[in-house]
Amino acid sequence: MRRIVVLISGNGSNLQAIIDACKLKKINATVAAVFSNKTDAFGLERAREAEIPAHALTASQFADRAAFDRELMLEIDAYAPDLVVLAGYMRILSPEFVGHYAGRLINIHPSLLPKYPGLNTHRQVLENGDEVHGTSVHFVTDELDGGPVILQAEVPVFEGDNEDDITARVQSQEHAIYPLVVSWFIEGRLEMRENSAWLDGKLLPEQGYATEE
């Protein structure tokens, strides 16, 4: 059985979607462990409820980012993961960490990348009057939210929407597409080659996988 390690910082709703997909055999793998940089992250409780080892490492325990990431790598590697999944993990990762897991490190970001990397994506969408928003699953590289996109999902933005409305709409799509991408990787269908995403031996376009019209 292949093994997944998930990194979180908060509520862990995408973690829950992955745990559920594993239970339903939609992902042919197990979540081997969950790590958080916040001791009070509710996602840790989700992990414990599912009888998954749950760990918290806080920045205050370490001299600098590099020391934090080295310890995190050691603890992750003890679980020998095939894939490391960032699910709302809010720390910027060191180049050493990203390099160590290159090609088996994925993230989900609440925007249609390359639009709106970084924080406060929903607020920016509202401020700019966008009519379409969405979410992107991508491989992680040294460039913040800049790794090759694997799959995106769009959502409409309606007049009168607030950030909570958009968040709920985007998360609904995230919970559908993130387990799907994880399953592609676990099945050996998905890989990163030459800083590009490939699915079933075919180079994906810049916006990731798209079904033919």
Side-chain angles (χ1 to χ4, degrees):
M1 183 68 75
R2 303 192 80 186
R3 300 161 68 80
I4 302 163
V5 166
V6 182
L7 274 58
I8 62 164
S9 292
N11 181 50
S13 65
N14 276 305
L15 164 65
Q16 189 67 58
I18 291 167
I19 291 171
D20 293 345
C22 290
K23 285 182 179 176
L24 294 170
K25 306 300 182 188
K26 292 180 179 178
I27 298 173
N28 189 26
T30 58
V31 178
V34 173
F35 289 86
S36 177
N37 64 315
K38 304 282 187 184
T39 57
D40 60 350
F42 184 68
L44 293 172
E45 189 58 39
R46 294 181 187 271
R48 295 183 192 108
E49 185 72 22
E51 299 183 340
I52 296 166
H55 306 275
L57 282 74
T58 59
S60 60
Q61 298 172 268
F62 300 93
D64 53 31
R65 185 182 307 279
F68 181 103
D69 279 5
R70 279 195 296 272
E71 178 61 27
L72 183 58
M73 284 188 285
L74 281 172
E75 296 198 22
I76 290 172
D77 287 351
Y79 290 96
D82 298 284
L83 178 66
V84 178
V85 174
L86 307 180
Y89 187 66
M90 300 304 289
R91 274 181 67 85
I92 294 174
L93 298 166
S94 65
E96 183 183 5
F97 187 98
V98 172
H100 186 67
Y101 297 107
R104 54 190 179 117
L105 180 63
I106 60 174
N107 182 47
I108 194 161
H109 180 74
S111 81
L112 296 172
L113 292 170
K115 203 170 190 179
Y116 306 133
L119 302 175
N120 303 316
T121 61
H122 307 320
R123 187 183 310 160
Q124 292 180 74
V125 163
L126 289 174
E127 288 173 350
N128 292 330
D130 293 1
E131 295 181 355
V132 178
H133 187 31
T135 182
S136 308
V137 182
H138 65 96
F139 281 108
V140 177
T141 63
D142 282 342
E143 182 185 352
L144 179 65
D145 298 326
V149 172
I150 301 160
L151 182 61
Q152 294 184 325
E154 294 185 351
V155 300
V157 182
F158 299 116
E159 190 173 340
D161 272 347
N162 59 33
E163 285 189 51
D164 289 341
D165 297 326
I166 296 176
T167 298
R169 208 170 296 137
V170 167
Q171 284 190 343
S172 176
Q173 291 299 314
E174 288 182 346
H175 300 162
I177 70 170
Y178 213 6
L180 178 61
V181 170
V182 170
S183 73
W184 289 347
F185 187 93
I186 292 299
E187 291 162 13
R189 298 175 57 193
L190 174 68
E191 64 177 328
M192 186 170 77
R193 265 194 260 159
E194 298 171 351
N195 207 43
S196 297
W198 294 69
L199 182 67
D200 296 330
K202 296 178 181 177
L203 174 65
L204 293 179
E206 186 178 326
Q207 289 77 32
Y209 175 79
T211 54
E212 293 184 6
E213 297 296 333

